[in-house]
Amino acid sequence: ETGVTQTPRHLVMGMTNKKSLKCEQHLGHNAMYWYKQSAKKPLELMFVYNFKEQTENNSVPSRFSPECPNSSHLFLHLHTLQPEDSALYLCASSQDPIVTGTDTQYFGPGTRLTVL
Amino acid sequence: SQKIEQNSEALNIQEGKTATLTCNYTNYSPAYLQWYRQDPGRGPVFLLLIRENEKEKRKERLKVTFDTTLKQSLFHITASQPADSATYLCALLMDSSYKLIFGSGTRLLVRP
């Protein structure tokens, strides 16, 4: 276990549904991330939160909406998704890279999302 | 444009041999490079970090080299075991953006 948990592990949803992914980290980190991983493609950074503030939005469509209520929790709200959004969604956390000079990331197990 | 390349073909080796994986990059000036291991259906797990001013880093059976002139990192697993079978990802961090950029990974298969 890396200290980062994600729920649910698997999710199947229709294009008109609304669902949320949850991530929790027990490492005392300040930064949290959402990544998308599609087959045969590199990890795509979606959002970065540092001390609860969003510092990066990597041109993600508005049908993905992140929320970070505190440094330990991160949500990804999903609505009106498309089949091409089917992928593994990974959450990660790290200490503040600007402070530590490194950015070793600790990943959760991911949520396997299928959009029908 | 900026690019990270890892061999997309799986590396298939015999147990006990040394596995060598390659990470090449173009148009980057990374502050450091990391290697992660990812098992099917799981998140990546951090293995090693090497900074731009370091040539080599070791950890148990793992060794990483970093050649900023060639813009290449090599990742070696000595005395490989079937349990080493996984996908290995390299990731670069740019000083300016403090954002990690990942390669697409190379799958390693170690035959018993």
Side-chain angles (χ1 to χ4, degrees):
Chain A
E1 293 300 323
T2 61
V4 180
T5 58
Q6 288 187 245
T7 54
R9 294 293 310 276
H10 301 272
L11 178 62
V12 179
M13 59 187 288
M15 288 191 283
T16 57
N17 291 157
K18 287 185 182 182
K19 296 285 184 184
S20 295
L21 310 184
K22 179 183 175 183
C23 175
E24 184 174 0
Q25 57 98 357
H26 311 275
L27 301 169
H29 288 164
N30 305 316
M32 295 188 78
Y33 310 78
W34 279 117
Y35 287 89
K36 175 183 178 182
Q37 188 174 36
S38 305
K40 307 288 186 185
K41 293 176 72 174
L43 281 168
E44 298 173 51
L45 180 64
M46 300 174 73
F47 302 104
V48 181
Y49 278 82
N50 212 344
F51 291 97
K52 301 188 301 178
E53 299 297 321
Q54 187 180 126
T55 57
E56 185 90 21
N57 177 338
N58 214 20
S59 303
V60 180
S62 59
R63 57 185 183 270
F64 294 92
S65 173
E67 179 191 358
C68 189
N70 56 60
S71 294
S72 299
H73 293 86
L74 186 64
F75 295 88
L76 188 62
H77 304 297
L78 316 171
H79 63 99
T80 59
L81 294 192
Q82 306 297 313
E84 59 264 28
D85 297 322
S86 299
L88 181 68
Y89 288 85
L90 290 160
C91 172
S93 72
S94 71
Q95 286 289 11
D96 185 351
I98 298 174
V99 171
T100 63
T102 66
D103 191 27
T104 300
Q105 298 197 2
Y106 295 79
F107 286 84
T111 295
R112 173 66 63 188
L113 174 67
T114 303
V115 182
L116 301 176
Chain B
S1 64
Q2 298 171 326
K3 209 172 176 182
I4 302 175
E5 286 184 346
Q6 293 186 259
N7 196 336
S8 58
E9 290 184 19
L11 178 63
N12 199 323
I13 65 169
Q14 184 72 43
E15 181 177 9
K17 301 291 186 184
T18 296
T20 299
L21 307 176
T22 304
C23 176
N24 294 299
Y25 59 93
T26 57
N27 298 326
Y28 283 118
S29 295
Y32 60 74
L33 187 146
Q34 299 181 347
W35 284 89
Y36 288 78
R37 169 186 172 140
Q38 186 173 21
D39 291 285
R42 309 287 294 272
V45 175
F46 170 76
L47 295 175
L48 277 170
L49 178 152
I50 186 165
R51 298 181 186 277
E52 58 180 337
N53 60 350
E54 297 175 317
K55 296 290 185 189
E56 183 179 296
K57 205 77 167 285
R58 290 175 185 262
K59 179 183 175 184
E60 297 172 354
R61 294 185 295 111
L62 309 180
K63 184 178 88 170
V64 172
T65 62
F66 194 10
D67 189 326
T68 55
T69 302
L70 290 179
K71 295 188 182 295
Q72 181 181 78
S73 175
L74 298 178
F75 177 81
H76 306 273
I77 305 176
T78 58
S80 60
Q81 304 166 1
D84 295 327
S85 299
T87 296
Y88 292 86
L89 310 173
C90 70
L92 309 180
L93 182 102
M94 253 47 68
D95 257 330
S96 56
S97 70
Y98 288 99
K99 189 165 69 174
L100 264 186
I101 312 295
F102 283 85
S104 54
T106 298
R107 189 170 169 217
L108 172 66
L109 298 171
V110 181
R111 302 188 307 274

